[in-house]
Structures are given as structure tokens and as C-alpha cells.
Amino acid sequence: MSERYANMIAYIVLLIVAVLYLNTAYGFDSSTSNTIGPGYFPKLLGFGLAIFCVIGLITSFRQKASGKIIIENMKMVLIAIVTTILFLTAWYYIGNFYIITFVFLTVLTGIFRKESGFNRRNILIVTGSSFFIVGTIYLLFDVFMKLNM
């Protein structure tokens, strides 16, 4: 696929996301008397995304044919996509965000580090980095912001 068409497809997908996002944002109040309401900033972001997508589409449409896009490691990309879909599905049906996120990060990081081998050091790096990331998310959202994940 050429770079021009790939850019156009990406802009169209993002434009659809912007429209869906704006549809949700219009469910919030924009303002009350003299203050800005909770819907103001989401609408601003949605319109900004839509405007930049339209500008990108016009720019890509005017662009001459360019080089080809070659994804050299398509197998790893597909594994990451499937793993992410499995993560989101498990989170939706099972819950337990922190446990599922730890498993997801450990599995995905392990898959991407498989060339390094599965020795004790790499297993410690994979599980340690997953534990650190999940712990940071827990501290940030559950402890500091008091949001129950």
C-alpha cells in the first residue's frame, strides 16, 4: 500500500472516531451561566481532531504518489493486536483490572523479548517491569486520585 493511501485511510478512521467522540461529548453540558461546563473541553478536542483530519485528508489528496509502506514484522503486529483484544475482553467480562493488566503486560513483553531468551534475568525483567507499571497505575489512580479501577 502506498504511503498516500495509508495516510488517507488513517485520517478517515480518525475522522470517524472524532465524530463518535463528538456525539458522546454533546451529551455533556457545555456551560452554565458564567462557567464552562464539563462538555466544553471534550467538544473542543473533538472539533480539533476533526479539523486536523480534514486538513490531513486534503494534504494527502494533493500529495503525489509516494513510497510504499512495508510492515516487516506483521506477525508481531498481529500478535499484539490479538493480545490487546483478549486483554480488553477479559477486563470486560472478568474485571480485576490490575491482575489482568499484569498478565497482559507480562505476556506481551515476554513475546516481544523472546529473542533474548527465557532465562532467569529476562523473566525477572519482564515481570518486574510489568509489576512496576501496574503498581504505578494503582498508586496514581487508586491512591492519589481515589478512582476505583
Side-chain angles (χ1 to χ4, degrees):
M1 175 181 297
S2 75
E3 185 179 327
R4 177 181 178 213
Y5 291 123
N7 286 338
M8 292 174 82
I9 290 170
Y11 286 129
I12 290 169
V13 169
L14 284 174
L15 189 59
I16 292 169
V17 168
V19 169
L20 294 173
Y21 182 80
L22 279 169
N23 187 34
T24 303
Y26 270 100
F28 300 128
D29 291 332
S30 289
S31 63
T32 58
S33 63
N34 293 330
T35 61
I36 295 175
Y40 180 78
F41 191 64
K43 288 177 189 173
L44 183 67
L45 288 177
F47 277 116
L49 179 60
I51 288 168
F52 284 122
C53 285
V54 170
I55 291 170
L57 268 172
I58 292 169
T59 304
S60 294
F61 188 73
R62 291 175 149 184
Q63 186 182 31
K64 293 181 180 179
S66 56
K68 298 253 184 214
I69 293 180
I70 299 170
I71 301 174
E72 294 179 14
N73 213 345
M74 187 59 134
K75 179 181 174 186
M76 295 301 277
V77 171
L78 291 175
I79 287 172
I81 291 171
V82 169
T83 307
T84 304
I85 291 170
L86 290 173
F87 163 71
L88 294 172
T89 305
W91 182 21
Y92 180 79
Y93 286 109
I94 298 171
N96 296 324
F97 172 77
Y98 296 112
I99 295 170
I100 291 185
T101 302
F102 176 77
V103 170
F104 166 70
L105 289 174
T106 303
V107 168
L108 198 60
T109 309
I111 290 170
F112 282 109
R113 285 187 59 92
K114 75 177 181 180
E115 288 84 22
S116 302
F118 286 108
N119 56 31
R120 174 181 249 168
R121 180 179 179 272
N122 283 334
I123 291 172
L124 285 173
I125 289 172
V126 167
T127 55
S129 62
S130 299
F131 184 77
F132 176 77
I133 292 169
V134 172
T136 303
I137 293 169
Y138 172 77
L139 287 174
L140 181 65
F141 288 100
D142 268 13
V143 174
F144 297 128
M145 297 175 70
K146 307 281 190 233
L147 298 174
N148 188 10
M149 300 292 281

